[in-house]
Amino acid sequence: RGVEAVTFDEAQIQEMLYHIGVGNPRQQKNCGACGFDTCRARAEAILMHQENVSLCRQVVQEAKQDVYSVLYEHLPMAAILVDETQKVVGLNEEACSLFSIQPDQEKYIFELMDPGDFQYVLDTGLSIQNRRMDIPEIFMRVEVNLVPLKELKMVLGLFRDVTEEEEKEASQQQSRLQSVEMAQKVIEKQMTVAQQIAFLLGETTAE
């Protein structure tokens, strides 16, 4: 007695195609990079538990190219891409300037700063927004946003130098404190003068 071939209905196949990132027929390149002749054949193999569920390699590659395009062309601030090993796999001109490194220079994020926040985002998939931190290695204070790119297993780090901004704010705060202190001294002096005048007037009245 032969083994009956397992068949799946069209809805199951379409759902799996969606899960592997090629739900739209235009995304189904049938490139064979995954080892299957067609995207549909891979979807069926996954349904039969002969293949692990994962995004289409071509889709991942295109997503990476999109990220790199944004990274290099559209971001007006320093941007760094870090993979799951904490290796810096992409950075723009602003980041090269900020951290004084070359675009083709192999670096890990722990060589540039404390990697704890990057690892937290990699582990949890949660973003970190508008955190201000010191980077002693470059004598700078920055505002950091870390964005998880879950499907790519990467983190996009965005950095803005706020060193001068905070120094200016501190200077302004110091000026405000000095102004308040000066005002208090003036008021105290005026009160002393007023008390002296009141005392003299009291003595005159008594005479």
Side-chain angles (χ1 to χ4, degrees), residues 9-206:
D9 61 39
E10 188 63 23
Q12 289 175 298
I13 295 172
Q14 289 302 320
E15 182 178 3
M16 184 52 67
L17 286 168
Y18 170 80
H19 282 305
I20 63 177
V22 290
N24 189 317
R26 287 178 295 181
Q27 296 173 300
Q28 296 169 24
K29 310 289 186 182
N30 299 321
C31 63
C34 59
F36 293 89
D37 292 335
T38 65
C39 300
R40 187 183 181 90
R42 180 167 183 254
E44 291 177 344
I46 293 171
L47 288 169
M48 289 187 288
H49 305 289
Q50 296 174 355
E51 169 77 351
N52 294 326
V53 180
S54 62
L55 282 176
C56 164
R57 295 178 185 179
Q58 187 66 25
V59 169
V60 171
Q61 185 60 34
E62 289 176 358
K64 285 183 178 180
Q65 290 173 351
D66 289 342
V67 169
Y68 289 136
S69 174
V70 170
L71 181 66
Y72 292 115
E73 298 174 17
H74 303 296
L75 288 175
M77 62 182 69
I80 291 180
L81 267 180
V82 175
D83 70 11
E84 59 186 334
T85 68
Q86 296 191 0
K87 183 178 180 180
V88 176
V89 294
L91 69 169
N92 60 5
E93 288 184 12
E94 287 80 359
C96 290
S97 175
L98 184 67
F99 294 100
S100 300
I101 55 178
Q102 299 299 318
D104 56 351
Q105 189 176 352
E106 184 173 301
K107 283 284 183 181
Y108 286 81
I109 196 64
F110 57 76
E111 298 178 81
L112 305 177
M113 68 189 75
D114 185 334
D117 286 341
F118 276 88
Q119 192 60 52
Y120 169 82
V121 175
L122 283 166
D123 291 342
T124 65
L126 301 174
S127 63
I128 291 177
Q129 299 180 352
N130 303 324
R131 173 172 294 177
R132 293 199 172 190
M133 58 183 285
D134 293 310
I135 303 182
E137 291 82 354
I138 56 175
F139 307 102
M140 195 172 291
R141 187 163 176 79
V142 296
E143 184 177 84
V144 184
N145 284 272
L146 300 182
V147 183
L149 307 177
K150 297 178 185 178
E151 298 296 347
L152 302 180
K153 297 182 180 179
M154 294 181 182
V155 175
L156 173 61
L158 305 175
F159 299 84
R160 184 171 70 88
D161 181 3
V162 295
T163 308
E164 291 185 8
E165 180 182 314
E166 291 208 350
E167 288 175 352
K168 185 177 180 180
E169 288 175 358
S171 177
Q172 290 174 342
Q173 178 66 12
Q174 183 63 28
S175 296
R176 285 193 290 269
L177 290 174
Q178 290 174 346
S179 297
V180 170
E181 186 178 349
M182 189 177 298
Q184 287 176 335
K185 288 180 178 179
V186 170
I187 291 170
E188 288 172 2
K189 186 174 181 180
Q190 289 177 336
M191 289 296 293
T192 301
V193 171
Q195 288 171 352
Q196 289 174 344
I197 292 173
F199 177 75
L200 291 172
L201 288 174
E203 279 194 339
T204 304
T205 304

